[in-house]
Amino acid sequence: MSKSLKRVENALSAAGVSVQIVETPASTRTAAEAAAAAGVALDQIVKSILFQGQSGALYLFLTAGGQQVDLTKATALAGEKLLRAEADVVRKVTGFAIGGVAPLGHLSPPPLWMDPHLMGFDQVWAAAGTPHHIFAIAPATLQSLTKAVVAPFTISA
Ligand code: 5CA
């Protein structure tokens, strides 16, 4: 089993949350692919999008699949100017490759925020560390596990 997948599994079980990680035959590298694989609405997919501040710190924005991060709003939340994190930085700091970045189980857990668009669903689906593994979780459970701050940061949120 991949180390990335194992880290997500361990993080979930350490938190005492019983969650089934599903291996998908088709790619779940993008939110659209993950929505098709899970048979759910695009906004039920949790995109784990990383930005990097001028200080070098990373910030994670858990974003509903159909939404876009508004850089101005994200910058205001982080408190410093942000740029999209480069793929190699994401890999090094989180331990996950782009397309499989999970909302938890990071090598160095970043401060994180959660899109209110995710909160209205019974369940949302997130990447489990690889582009072929996803899991379903109640958004309130994901929020309490990650200690994400729920705040609007998407375009015309
Ligand atoms: N497994 C799916 C659904 S959970 C997934 O990980 N989706 S995602 O949206 O969270 O991850 C893909 C995101 O990675 C894209 O939205 C984009 O924001 C970002 N990304 C894609 N390519 C790059 C790249 N070269 N450098 C930095 N970020 C990238």
Side-chain angles (χ1 to χ4, degrees):
M1 183 191 295
S2 93
K3 276 189 199 157
S4 301
L5 174 60
K6 192 77 200 150
R7 266 207 327 282
V8 177
E9 215 171 69
N10 288 346
L12 288 166
S13 60
V17 179
S18 160
V19 161
Q20 182 94 38
I21 294 175
V22 178
E23 181 168 6
T24 60
S27 164
T28 54
R29 187 175 299 280
T30 67
E33 287 174 347
V40 298
L42 188 56
D43 268 351
Q44 272 177 280
I45 301 302
V46 182
K47 298 191 285 192
S48 297
I49 301 186
L50 284 144
F51 285 85
Q52 187 168 28
Q54 283 177 322
S55 67
L58 291 198
Y59 302 91
L60 178 56
F61 291 86
L62 304 181
T63 310
Q67 309 297 318
Q68 303 292 327
V69 176
D70 180 323
L71 198 53
T72 305
K73 290 175 192 160
T75 294
L77 291 171
E80 63 169 324
K81 197 155 182 235
L82 301 180
L83 288 174
R84 190 63 74 93
E86 296 290 342
D88 59 334
V89 175
V90 169
R91 175 102 210 195
K92 191 159 156 227
V93 178
T94 70
F96 300 120
I98 296 285
V101 178
L104 75 180
H106 293 227
L107 293 177
S108 316
L112 72 174
W113 289 271
M114 188 163 173
D115 179 358
H117 289 99
L118 291 166
M119 304 309 293
F121 298 104
D122 288 347
Q123 293 211 301
V124 293
W125 293 76
T130 91
H132 282 278
H133 291 88
I134 52 177
F135 64 96
I137 190 166
T141 306
L142 181 60
Q143 187 275 325
S144 67
L145 276 189
T146 58
K147 310 227 169 22
V149 175
V150 180
F153 55 77
T154 57
I155 310 239
S156 64

